[in-house]
């Protein structure tokens, strides 16, 4: 299909309207703050962008809501690729991108999509910050973190992790706390609760299934830990944050 006619017309209209598209260098400088996990800078940048969100952006649809959805889709694709380049797992980056595109797909207002774009950028940046933090830790601790996430279905203990690292439990505990800023127990709990939050948001698994899949001895034990960590019960969290709450009536 020959698009020269349409291209020339759009370029003419843009010149007449004195439209200046954001240059690539400036655009990717903003994306790189996400790649490098600079959460504060990402928030600061978006605060400025929000004031004149459409400046430098092309019109992708005459429908304001659809236009913003398309911009989110483009941003999600770029951010996922940049974060993969920065060390994020391929499946994690693209699945996270899919999640935000699906959330935008059922958004009801243009402003809601802008909020999602900000949330997406901060989410990716926070995850990249953690990845870069892990790059600075020892091989023993990095392997321990990998072991935790690979065995969330088990009742993990300091002793088990120390044994897996071939280190004395006392020494391993001090090393882990020094390099992660968290005790082993707190890190395990946060990892399990964070995973539970995603399961509550984006799956239909029952609370008991989630509890046992994350190594809790019972649903009540899971509820106790989840509530102590987040301030709400798993059921309440699902009612508030479930992806289904974004569905159209």
């Amino acid at each position: 299909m020959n698009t020269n006619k349409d291209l020339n017309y759009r370029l003419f209209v843009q010149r007449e309207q004195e439209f200046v598209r954001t240059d690539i260098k400036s655009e990717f400088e903003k994306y790189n703050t996400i790649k490098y996990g600079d959460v504060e800078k990402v928030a600061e940048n978006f605060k400025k962008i929000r004031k004149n969100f459409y400046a430098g952006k092309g019109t992708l649809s005459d429908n304001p809501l659809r236009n913003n959805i398309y911009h989110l889709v483009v941003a999600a694709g770029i951010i996922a690729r940049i974060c993969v380049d920065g060390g994020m797992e391929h499946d994690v980056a693209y699945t996270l991108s899919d999640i935000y595109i699906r959330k935008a797909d059922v958004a009801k207002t243009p402003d809601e999509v802008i909020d999602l774009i900000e949330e997406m950028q901060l989410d990716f940046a926070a995850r990249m910050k953690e990845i870069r933090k892990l790059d600075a830790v020892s091989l023993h601790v990095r392997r321990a973190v990998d072991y935790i996430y690979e065995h969330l279905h088990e009742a993990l203990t300091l002793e088990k992790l120390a044994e897996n690292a071939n280190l004395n439990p006392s020494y391993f505990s001090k090393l882990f706390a020094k390099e992660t800023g968290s005790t082993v127990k707190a890190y395990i709990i946060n990892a399990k609760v964070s995973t539970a939050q995603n399961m509550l948001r984006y799956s239909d698994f029952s609370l008991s299934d989630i509890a046992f899949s994350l190594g809790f001895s019972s649903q009540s034990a899971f509820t106790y830990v989840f509530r102590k960590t987040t301030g709400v019960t798993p059921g309440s969290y699902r009612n508030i944050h479930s992806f289904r709450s974004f569905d159209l009536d």
Side-chain angles (χ1 to χ4, degrees):
M1 179 182 294
N2 191 329
T3 57
N4 284 336
K5 183 177 179 180
D6 287 341
L7 175 61
N8 290 332
Y9 172 71
R10 292 304 307 167
L11 289 173
F12 169 76
V13 170
Q14 288 174 181
R15 285 194 295 269
E16 288 296 302
Q17 296 177 344
E18 298 183 347
F19 170 74
V20 179
R21 195 178 296 274
T22 303
D23 66 275
I24 293 177
K25 182 180 178 181
S26 174
E27 184 175 8
F28 273 83
E29 281 178 355
K30 291 183 173 64
Y31 283 128
N32 278 335
T33 61
I34 299 173
K35 177 181 178 180
Y36 297 130
D38 192 342
V39 179
E40 292 75 16
K41 187 65 175 177
V42 171
E44 179 185 328
N45 285 342
F46 201 85
K47 188 176 180 180
K48 296 175 182 176
I49 291 170
R50 183 184 285 276
K51 291 179 179 178
N52 194 5
F53 180 76
Y54 301 101
K57 293 182 175 65
T59 302
L60 306 182
S61 172
D62 292 330
N63 180 297
L65 174 58
R66 194 172 300 278
N67 180 57
N68 285 8
I69 291 173
Y70 289 155
H71 279 298
L72 181 144
V73 171
V74 171
I78 295 173
I79 292 170
R81 285 163 176 79
I82 282 179
C83 288
V84 168
D85 184 61
M88 184 177 285
E89 289 184 17
H90 179 274
D91 285 345
V92 170
Y94 284 96
T95 302
L96 194 58
S97 169
D98 292 346
I99 287 170
Y100 280 101
I101 290 172
R102 286 175 61 84
K103 290 172 75 169
D105 188 50
V106 293
K108 297 178 182 178
T109 67
D111 283 344
E112 185 180 342
V113 180
I114 294 175
D115 289 340
L116 282 172
I117 294 174
E118 179 180 24
E119 180 186 332
M120 175 177 68
Q121 291 191 7
L122 291 172
D123 192 353
F124 270 97
R127 292 168 187 272
M128 290 306 298
K129 183 177 182 178
E130 290 302 310
I131 289 171
R132 292 180 68 80
K133 186 186 297 183
L134 285 178
D135 286 341
V137 304
S138 67
L139 183 61
H140 286 303
V141 173
R142 188 184 306 180
R143 285 178 174 171
V145 169
D146 288 341
Y147 187 90
I148 289 170
Y149 279 97
E150 289 169 4
H151 296 80
L152 285 177
H153 58 286
E154 298 179 9
L156 295 167
T157 63
L158 165 63
E159 289 72 23
K160 183 177 291 187
L161 290 172
E163 180 182 355
N164 184 66
N166 292 317
L167 294 175
N168 173 275
S170 178
Y171 173 76
F172 173 75
S173 176
K174 293 176 182 177
L175 179 67
F176 191 94
K178 178 182 177 181
E179 297 190 0
T180 67
S182 170
T183 65
V184 172
K185 182 178 180 180
Y187 196 98
I188 292 170
I189 289 173
N190 285 333
K192 288 178 181 281
V193 170
S194 177
T195 301
Q197 287 175 313
N198 284 329
M199 294 175 76
L200 290 166
R201 280 187 180 220
Y202 305 114
S203 81
D204 292 320
F205 291 121
S206 68
L207 299 187
S208 60
D209 285 341
I210 294 174
F212 291 119
S213 71
L214 292 175
F216 289 95
S217 58
S218 65
Q219 183 179 325
S220 59
F222 166 56
T223 298
Y224 174 80
V225 170
F226 190 95
R227 184 172 189 172
K228 185 176 181 181
T229 305
T230 67
V232 296
T233 64
S236 296
Y237 185 90
R238 169 169 273 172
N239 289 337
I240 297 169
H241 298 288
S242 173
F243 177 73
R244 289 170 295 180
S245 68
F246 291 93
D247 291 346
L248 295 173
D249 295 330

